[in-house]
Amino acid sequence: MTHIPTEQATAAASGAAATEQFRAKQRTETTDVDTRRVDTLVTALLTATHDIVRRHKVTYAEYDALKSWLIKVGEDGEWPLFLDVWVEHVVEEVANEDRVGSKGTIEGPYYVPGSPRLPAETTLPMRENEPGTPLLFQGQVRSVDGSPLAGASVEMWQADDDGFYSQFAPGLPEWNLRGTVIADATGHFMIRTIQPAPYQIPTDGACGSLIRAAGWHAWRPAHLHLKVSAPGHRLITTQLYFDGGQYVDNDIATAVKPELILSPTATGQGNDHEVTYDFVLDKA
Ligand code: MBD
Ligand code: FE
């Protein structure tokens, strides 16, 4: 079922919202980077760029195309989208290479902190007739030593059945399909939601132009986003995907890992599906 938004979702509108979210996060986190690190990293980036120009004999026409495109990324507010789709997965790989618990993956541009707090057995905030296949997502949060993490926080956000995120696409209630679930005394949670649809990167902005110019596709497989945390443990940011789903094997954001693929089963009630997934958190 497709709902008709009164306003069209645009690259510039979701880009502006993502840029604003990122700025709000930066105000609460320090961003100072050591001078010597800046020198090392920027020199490495420029040297790699110079190598590309020489090796591929980049022309002035191509250099100017790059310049106009970079200007457009900023105008469209698509720096968060561009970086999270094409760069973040390697930053995540490096940041989490020493973990022994559950796998993480990228956060992406559409996280909003402070979603409604919900009990261990709950339904994510959704519209009265939220379209989509009902999904019961349940599991347990444990420490690497196997002990259950009572009161762990399971924060979830996801696209709806049309592939839209609340707070970034028009016409959706605030916090739709977003919530912070507090696990019970044995670390268990049971969350009713709907299966999200695959997500298409906005096609009318700078990232869309790049995708067309390069002959790529603009899709991410359907996914649930999660941040799972507990006192004394390292927060994990992750995503879960659906076995056999479109684009699971060719995610534009390169963020799928085999450990993150769910196989929900039909419950026998209507079209309802259910799946169990446990989280194991590394110690802080
Ligand atoms: C998404 O929904 C997403 O998760 C990422 C990483 C990039 C763009 C859209
Ligand atoms: Fe997403």
Side-chain angles (χ1 to χ4, degrees):
M1 198 204 294
T2 298
H3 84 277
I4 313 295
T6 49
E7 223 183 304
Q8 275 305 319
T10 63
S14 66
T19 299
E20 194 36 56
Q21 273 307 320
F22 179 73
R23 286 193 174 131
K25 181 169 91 170
Q26 283 319 102
R27 278 195 286 276
T28 62
E29 287 171 17
T30 159
T31 48
D32 283 353
V33 180
D34 180 80
T35 305
R36 282 177 322 198
R37 262 309 257 185
V38 175
D39 176 29
T40 303
L41 300 180
V42 177
T43 300
L45 177 64
L46 293 173
T47 303
T49 307
H50 303 157
D51 287 349
I52 292 167
V53 173
R54 290 198 183 96
R55 193 156 12 104
H56 297 276
K57 298 202 182 297
V58 172
T59 65
Y60 262 103
E62 289 164 341
Y63 177 64
D64 286 346
L66 172 66
K67 224 190 242 183
S68 357
W69 182 78
L70 289 171
I71 292 167
K72 186 77 160 52
V73 178
E75 286 171 353
D76 291 344
E78 284 198 329
W79 279 116
L81 180 67
F82 172 77
L83 290 167
D84 294 352
V85 167
W86 285 294
V87 180
E88 191 190 354
H89 67 98
V90 191
V91 180
E92 189 278 331
E93 175 189 310
V94 170
N96 288 332
E97 64 191 358
D98 60 336
R99 279 187 196 254
V100 297
S102 297
K103 289 283 179 203
T105 191
I106 63 176
E107 175 174 316
Y110 301 142
Y111 169 64
V112 185
S115 62
R117 274 172 79 90
L118 303 165
E121 194 178 331
T122 192
T123 301
L124 285 191
M126 62 174 75
R127 291 163 288 180
E128 204 156 313
N129 288 304
E130 188 68 40
T133 303
L135 177 68
L136 179 65
F137 174 67
Q138 58 191 335
Q140 186 188 32
V141 186
R142 293 187 299 271
S143 179
V144 276
D145 64 15
S147 56
L149 292 172
S153 164
V154 180
E155 211 173 341
M156 253 180 96
W157 71 104
Q158 63 169 95
D160 66 13
D161 190 49
D162 294 319
F164 291 119
Y165 284 90
S166 62
Q167 269 109 309
F168 296 89
L172 294 168
E174 196 179 29
W175 304 119
N176 206 57
L177 300 174
R178 296 173 182 270
T180 302
V181 179
I182 307 303
D184 68 15
T186 62
H188 284 93
F189 58 88
M190 190 183 275
I191 305 167
R192 259 170 276 277
T193 182
I194 56 109
Q195 293 204 26
Y199 177 84
Q200 186 181 31
I201 304 285
T203 53
D204 62 319
C207 291
S209 313
L210 169 62
I211 287 165
R212 268 188 307 280
W216 301 338
H217 73 73
W219 293 86
R220 298 213 60 223
H223 55 279
L224 305 169
H225 287 273
L226 295 122
K227 281 181 185 283
V228 181
S229 60
H233 289 76
R234 276 170 76 179
L235 178 152
I236 186 104
T237 299
T238 192
Q239 299 182 31
L240 296 171
Y241 305 91
F242 298 90
D243 191 27
Q246 260 189 309
Y247 309 108
V248 167
D249 296 324
N250 55 356
D251 177 12
I252 183 80
T254 326
V256 179
K257 302 180 186 183
E259 298 87 347
L260 302 179
I261 301 176
L262 302 174
S263 299
T265 54
T267 61
Q269 283 188 310
N271 196 21
D272 290 17
H273 282 64
E274 65 183 356
V275 69
T276 299
Y277 188 89
D278 297 341
F279 295 95
V280 178
L281 299 187
D282 283 74
K283 300 228 157 112

